[in-house]
Amino acid sequence: MNEMKRENIESTKYDIPPELQGQVEITTIDKIYNWGRRSSIWPLMFGLACCAIEMICTAASRYDFARFGMEVMRPSPRQADLMIVAGTVTKKMIPTIVRLYNQMPEPKYVVAMGACASGGGPFKEGYNVVSGVDRYVPVDVYIAGCPPTPQALIHGLITLQRKIDAQSIKKVRWYRKEPIEAVPIPVLGPDVVDPHQYAIIHEQAKKLHEEAVNQAAETAPAETA
Amino acid sequence: MDEQTAVPFIDVTREVDLAARFPEAVIVDVRKEYEGYIVNRDRLIEVATAIRDELGYDYLSSVTGVDYLPDGVMEVVYHVYKMTGGPGLVFKTQTPRDEAVVPSLVPVYPGADLQEREAWDLLGIRFEGHPDLRRILMWEGFAGYPLRKDWQEAYFEEEGKPFKNRWPDGQVYRIEDKNPYENNVQYPADFIPEEYEPENDALLYDSLKRSIRGRDPELETDVVMVNMGPQHPSTHGVFRIAVALEGEKIVALKPVMGYLHRNHEKIGERNTFLQNMPYTDRLDYLSSLSNNFGYALAVEKLMNVRPPERAEYLRVIMAELTRISNHIFAIGTFLNDLGAYFTPALYAIKERELILDIFEATTGSRMMCNYFRFGGVTRDLPEGIAEKIHRLVYDRLPQKVDELDLYLTNNEIVRSRTEGVGVLTAEQAIAYSAAGPVLRASGVPYDIRRADPYSIYDRFEFDVAVRYHGDTYDRYLIRIDEMRQSLRILQQAIKDLPEGSIQEGKPQYQVRVPAGEAYGRVEGPKGELGYYVISNGKPNPWRYHVRAPSFINLTGYETMCVGNKVADVVAILGSIDIVLGETDR
Ligand code: SF4
């Protein structure tokens, strides 16, 4: 790969004394840090639906994403850097997905693979389907397709690598002073409840009540008449 | 299915008129294009017992409910078959909509267990006497019974597609813009989120405790409850298993599903008939072409069309290639589950890729083929593909199947992990409505391609693969056998492939489906895949139900597991070979 060539790493303008040449490399922290991270992204072994089968095919010998340092799929979120949301996200499943996301250590990335994970896909109108995983967890890369072919998945993963390359250690969220807030876990009530939406739910309930009262008021005189 | 079955003498070949046999309890269903009988619900158990014992319909294939909203009734539809083969029998029972109660048939046909739970969950039909009536696909506490015709989802737009206008005033809109939460949710007016207490699986653990059996009275141990999934690498997706353990021994087990419930049936009833075809691809996403097959058969029955010869052959070729690709993948992942981490799976996927190439060339997609049409198929084989299939089924695949057989079948670890583990006897398999490889590995030679042939399967020479121990090992072996038989069919089909058209009449986007009901079933790779479709003459099906083998094969899962060690849970599940898209639909 291009970035691994010496001239790319040694891109800073420092002169290396002749006697040290070939033994010392100088680069920026960002570059070497990102290079290390982007070349060993460990995905969470986590498949939701049809797209997961294409993910497995991508891992298998014909497409083989080991070429990009991603073959170490971890079944435990504690050891994973990347969550490939491969499949339809359902309401029944979303609390688990958010919990898994919270359990992954920083730095962590999310790839929404396929139409379903990106926005609900063919099943969007279903009563148990979440309109895209980004309603609950932040997504870094979206991959189109139903299912995306292995080539498309690899393209998405390369896009993620580019994103990592562009990050700076000074700005990334996991080195800031303030703690990173966990994503609140949705609750399975009469429908799935996003804890961010409590206020809207109250407002809406009030509206429904008013409507009911108004309607009662409208129909009441008619009855007496 | 124990002593009761031992009725003195049954002449199962005799046709019996059920209405004459039970004059007060049974009437013939005379609605136009409907078949079967309507049974008075008070005498349902009695009649069902007679159907099983006197008429010999020992296999309950499918149970589902239908909401006849305009008539104010709920109907429960049962499809039963004889394990000796032949066409089936349909009987129904009706109950008022607002007080929907029907006696449970679990005592007669234990295979009704999960299916009745599904009808309760989605249609709100209560089955009296059901041992464990909990919601199954949705969670406890979910508001409403979504498959009822008057229940509307949060993103509701119109009763049926095609929607009238998505571009009012030249502006396209997204449905979330019309929802107050800008999300796919809706709540009852009295819902107060802060005070809501989720149910937290109390019912599940209750039921788990109740079904504990086979404890060792000598051992003084606590029973430990273990949850596996929904995120677990060996559940093949998002499936959850709650197990009760005594030491390492399983004393009770409950499958928990619905994590991939994508509302196939609700969406299917809003779609037009043809729009459902690509959705069937996504049921059992490892074998999309067989899924197409069943649905096409059901609707073709209603429309009364048959595809031309060449299309029939293409269908069979595609379905059998699908079976091979499914079984080879199933064996790969099964070995994964046994701990042979990924190597066999890589060999399996390599062969599967070659089959996918054929699908991609022919249908345009690797996995979601959307290939069948009512009365035909979409495309003919492109140039060179027939030869490719020829080479594959005559040379390469037979060799590769032998290779898998050679490497795996006598592997010591495979044998010691699987032989005698997870036994399902023939009686149990029939009673639990197990289908496909699970049924046949238990010694029941029932294959719809032979027992009740559809399409042109009666023309091919092949054997019904059968094994007799009913254990995990036999369920592995039977897949190898079936691949060999599929190759035989393929070899004949590709040799005899006739020339001709591939579509009866003109291809149409909007088909006219006359009113009536139809049940189309095929022998899918996972087992009997059935589609129950009701049309009322409109562009959308009134009822669209899928009898999913992955789902119903799980009915006997607890029986297979109890008494085994906890590590076997994974091996047994792998040998049933479920796909969650189909289990949860
Ligand atoms: S995007 Fe398509 S292939 Fe992927 S999970 Fe959704 S329906 Fe399945």
Side-chain angles (χ1 to χ4, degrees):
Chain A
M1 289 173 69
N2 255 353
E3 290 79 357
M4 280 152 87
K5 287 197 190 128
R6 182 172 293 161
E7 55 271 26
N8 276 328
I9 297 177
E10 279 180 311
S11 58
T12 43
K13 303 287 174 287
Y14 293 99
D15 289 333
I16 301 179
E19 66 271 26
L20 287 181
Q21 266 174 17
Q23 307 187 22
V24 179
E25 310 286 358
I26 295 181
T27 180
T28 57
I29 289 271
D30 270 348
K31 260 216 169 115
I32 194 84
Y33 176 73
N34 288 340
W35 171 77
R37 290 193 306 128
R38 55 114 68 195
S39 318
S40 64
I41 302 174
W42 290 7
L44 179 64
M45 192 191 264
F46 171 57
L48 292 172
C50 350
C51 282
I53 305 298
E54 285 296 56
M55 183 170 77
I56 295 171
C57 289
T58 317
S61 38
R62 193 189 236 182
Y63 300 99
D64 193 11
F65 61 24
R67 294 176 291 153
F68 305 91
M70 293 180 183
E71 77 279 21
V72 196
M73 283 216 169
R74 299 276 91 181
S76 161
R78 303 283 186 200
Q79 303 166 338
D81 310 305
L82 166 66
M83 182 185 213
I84 303 180
V85 185
T88 317
V89 181
T90 62
K91 293 180 186 172
K92 196 166 174 177
M93 191 64 194
I94 190 70
T96 316
I97 295 176
V98 172
R99 209 166 279 142
L100 286 170
Y101 177 79
N102 284 340
Q103 285 172 351
M104 284 167 61
E106 291 279 5
K108 58 186 166 190
Y109 300 92
V110 177
V111 168
M113 177 182 182
C116 285
S118 305
F123 297 95
K124 177 175 169 184
E125 70 205 74
Y127 49 85
N128 191 27
V129 175
V130 171
S131 317
V133 71
D134 57 359
R135 301 262 163 178
Y136 296 92
V137 298
V139 171
D140 296 278
V141 177
Y142 298 86
I143 305 174
C146 179
T149 54
Q151 293 92 329
L153 176 59
I154 289 177
H155 177 252
L157 295 173
I158 293 174
T159 311
L160 177 70
Q161 289 187 325
R162 294 227 180 89
K163 177 168 180 168
I164 293 176
D165 283 340
Q167 287 184 316
S168 162
I169 205 165
K170 278 181 278 186
K171 294 200 199 112
V172 291
R173 61 175 184 273
W174 54 92
Y175 285 131
R176 295 224 194 101
K177 283 253 168 47
E178 62 274 23
I180 301 172
E181 296 257 323
V183 179
I185 301 201
V187 183
L188 293 180
D191 207 327
V192 71
V193 187
D194 183 350
H196 291 306
Q197 285 200 324
Y198 281 3
I200 317 180
I201 293 173
H202 284 302
E203 218 172 87
Q204 198 58 29
K206 227 166 55 202
K207 229 184 190 161
L208 284 178
H209 265 295
E210 272 164 23
E211 263 168 35
V213 170
N214 284 348
Q215 227 170 33
E218 262 172 41
T219 50
E223 270 163 28
T224 47
Chain B
M1 294 282 297
D2 9 291
E3 307 85 49
Q4 293 158 331
T5 16
V7 191
F9 172 73
I10 319 169
D11 181 6
V12 288
T13 54
R14 185 177 41 134
E15 279 302 321
V16 176
D17 184 359
L18 212 54
R21 168 80 172 70
F22 295 98
E24 309 92 69
V26 180
I27 51 169
V28 178
D29 192 347
V30 289
R31 288 171 288 185
K32 197 160 173 283
E33 294 299 322
Y34 277 58
E35 53 173 341
Y37 301 96
I38 298 181
V39 182
N40 185 331
R41 71 174 154 148
D42 300 328
R43 302 204 27 209
L44 181 68
I45 296 204
E46 184 195 336
V47 175
T49 314
I51 289 174
R52 186 191 69 186
D53 297 344
E54 288 175 31
L55 307 190
Y57 289 96
D58 48 355
Y59 183 80
L60 176 76
S61 157
S62 140
V63 180
T64 188
V66 185
D67 178 6
Y68 286 100
L69 178 65
D71 311 333
V73 290
M74 283 278 180
E75 189 170 276
V76 183
V77 186
Y78 304 87
H79 287 87
V80 286
Y81 288 90
K82 292 176 187 167
M83 278 289 103
T84 45
L89 177 86
V90 193
F91 61 99
K92 301 152 191 177
T93 187
Q94 293 186 333
T95 166
R97 248 184 122 249
D98 17 277
E99 244 315 309
V101 188
V102 166
S104 164
L105 277 195
V106 175
V108 187
Y109 293 109
D113 183 355
L114 298 184
Q115 306 191 61
E116 287 185 346
R117 277 179 65 192
E118 182 193 314
W120 157 244
D121 184 3
L122 301 183
L123 282 155
I125 302 171
R126 201 149 51 74
F127 289 88
E128 220 149 45
H130 189 287
D132 187 19
L133 199 62
R134 289 176 287 124
R135 295 199 91 137
I136 184 164
L137 296 178
M138 300 306 286
W139 59 90
E140 295 298 335
F142 180 76
Y145 303 110
L147 276 188
R148 288 199 168 207
K149 284 287 173 185
D150 50 1
W151 190 93
Q152 291 179 348
E153 60 273 30
Y155 278 174
F156 174 79
E157 286 182 74
E158 278 168 51
E159 281 296 335
K161 288 174 194 164
F163 293 150
K164 283 193 197 79
N165 190 355
R166 294 223 125 193
W167 295 269
D169 321 320
Q171 283 283 310
V172 67
Y173 69 86
R174 299 179 316 156
I175 183 66
E176 39 286 48
D177 305 335
K178 301 204 161 179
N179 182 292
Y181 311 99
E182 293 179 16
N183 203 352
N184 189 5
V185 290
Q186 59 188 358
Y187 308 100
D190 54 356
F191 172 60
I192 305 169
E194 287 87 348
E195 290 171 12
Y196 183 79
E197 273 188 39
E199 182 256 5
N200 279 342
D201 294 337
L203 289 177
L204 166 67
Y205 294 122
D206 267 0
S207 128
L208 190 63
K209 270 187 210 134
R210 261 187 288 127
S211 75
I212 288 177
R213 50 192 145 140
R215 286 200 66 181
D216 187 347
E218 312 254 294
L219 262 178
E220 279 185 26
T221 52
D222 285 336
V223 170
V224 183
M225 310 274 185
V226 179
N227 264 299
M228 194 175 123
Q231 200 285 114
H232 190 284
S234 62
T235 56
H236 297 218
V238 282
F239 181 60
R240 177 173 157 207
I241 305 163
V243 235
L245 297 174
E246 183 186 70
E248 279 207 32
K249 199 178 86 186
I250 303 161
V251 288
L253 175 146
K254 292 282 164 215
V256 187
M257 46 259 221
Y259 295 97
L260 190 55
H261 178 45
R262 300 191 277 195
N263 330 123
H264 198 87
E265 293 178 10
K266 186 82 180 175
I267 296 177
E269 286 166 19
R270 299 236 188 274
N271 280 346
T272 63
F273 282 92
L274 188 58
Q275 275 175 341
N276 274 340
M277 193 59 85
Y279 281 85
T280 60
D281 288 337
R282 287 154 181 83
L283 280 170
D284 170 359
Y285 33 76
L286 283 169
S287 34
S288 64
L289 285 158
S290 326
N291 303 347
N292 285 182
F293 210 156
Y295 180 58
L297 283 183
V299 179
E300 281 166 4
K301 254 190 210 168
L302 282 171
M303 292 170 59
N304 210 2
V305 288
R306 282 207 68 165
E309 277 292 280
R310 186 173 171 86
E312 292 273 26
Y313 272 85
L314 288 177
R315 285 179 168 194
V316 168
I317 290 172
M318 290 302 167
E320 294 307 316
L321 281 174
T322 303
R323 188 182 320 274
I324 296 174
S325 80
N326 177 78
H327 281 356
I328 210 161
F329 197 79
I331 290 174
T333 48
F334 170 61
L335 266 290
N336 247 9
D337 294 344
L338 290 182
Y341 203 63
F342 250 106
T343 310
L346 288 178
Y347 276 82
I349 292 172
K350 197 168 104 200
E351 301 315 312
R352 180 173 175 265
E353 288 285 341
L354 298 179
I355 298 178
L356 294 193
D357 282 349
I358 291 172
F359 292 165
E360 190 171 13
T362 314
T363 71
S365 172
R366 285 157 53 86
M367 276 172 72
M368 304 305 172
C369 300
N370 186 13
Y371 184 56
F372 287 46
R373 290 293 176 269
F374 310 127
V377 293
T378 47
R379 291 185 192 86
D380 210 333
L381 296 179
E383 222 187 290
I385 292 300
E387 294 74 57
K388 216 171 167 181
I389 299 177
H390 198 283
R391 272 199 304 275
L392 207 58
V393 300
Y394 273 97
D395 306 333
R396 179 158 179 133
L397 284 177
Q399 221 179 56
K400 291 293 163 180
V401 173
D402 289 348
E403 200 177 283
L404 272 187
D405 193 7
L406 179 73
Y407 291 156
L408 303 175
T409 305
N410 283 315
N411 180 301
E412 214 177 306
I413 302 175
V414 171
R415 293 191 72 145
S416 57
R417 283 280 324 261
T418 57
E419 273 178 313
V421 171
V423 177
L424 196 69
T425 63
E427 290 76 29
Q428 285 168 339
I430 296 173
Y432 286 127
S433 301
V438 179
L439 181 66
R440 289 189 288 274
S442 293
V444 186
Y446 188 80
D447 185 321
I448 302 172
R449 290 174 295 173
R450 258 292 145 68
D452 186 11
Y454 54 94
S455 186
I456 49 166
Y457 275 107
D458 45 1
R459 298 187 197 168
F460 299 109
E461 212 174 281
F462 68 99
D463 298 322
V464 174
V466 59
R467 294 267 168 178
Y468 297 94
H469 298 99
D471 57 359
T472 309
Y473 188 56
D474 273 11
R475 281 192 289 275
Y476 152 74
L477 285 176
I478 199 142
R479 296 207 161 87
I480 300 257
D481 299 345
E482 284 192 7
M483 284 197 283
R484 295 208 168 109
Q485 296 305 328
S486 288
L487 284 172
R488 273 178 78 185
I489 299 177
L490 278 166
Q491 289 167 355
Q492 298 164 47
I494 196 78
K495 200 162 72 185
D496 305 342
L497 179 65
E499 292 299 323
S501 88
I502 52 160
Q503 171 76 43
E504 188 67 43
K506 266 206 210 115
Q508 282 171 318
Y509 288 113
Q510 191 66 273
V511 291
R512 181 169 286 280
V513 182
E517 63 164 7
Y519 185 62
R521 56 180 201 147
V522 293
E523 185 67 43
K526 308 273 191 307
E528 174 179 342
L529 176 66
Y531 290 84
Y532 180 62
V533 182
I534 295 181
S535 161
N536 57 355
K538 300 250 170 67
N540 320 94
W542 177 259
R543 181 80 178 97
Y544 166 66
H545 172 73
V546 185
R547 186 250 185 236
S550 296
F551 175 62
I552 295 164
N553 283 350
L554 285 171
T555 318
Y557 187 36
E558 178 170 20
T559 308
M560 292 186 211
C561 286
V562 166
N564 288 300
K565 300 281 183 289
V566 61
D568 299 329
V569 167
V570 172
I572 296 170
L573 185 69
S575 77
I576 302 178
D577 182 23
I578 59 166
V579 158
L580 266 297
E582 189 178 74
T583 307
D584 295 345
R585 280 154 291 148

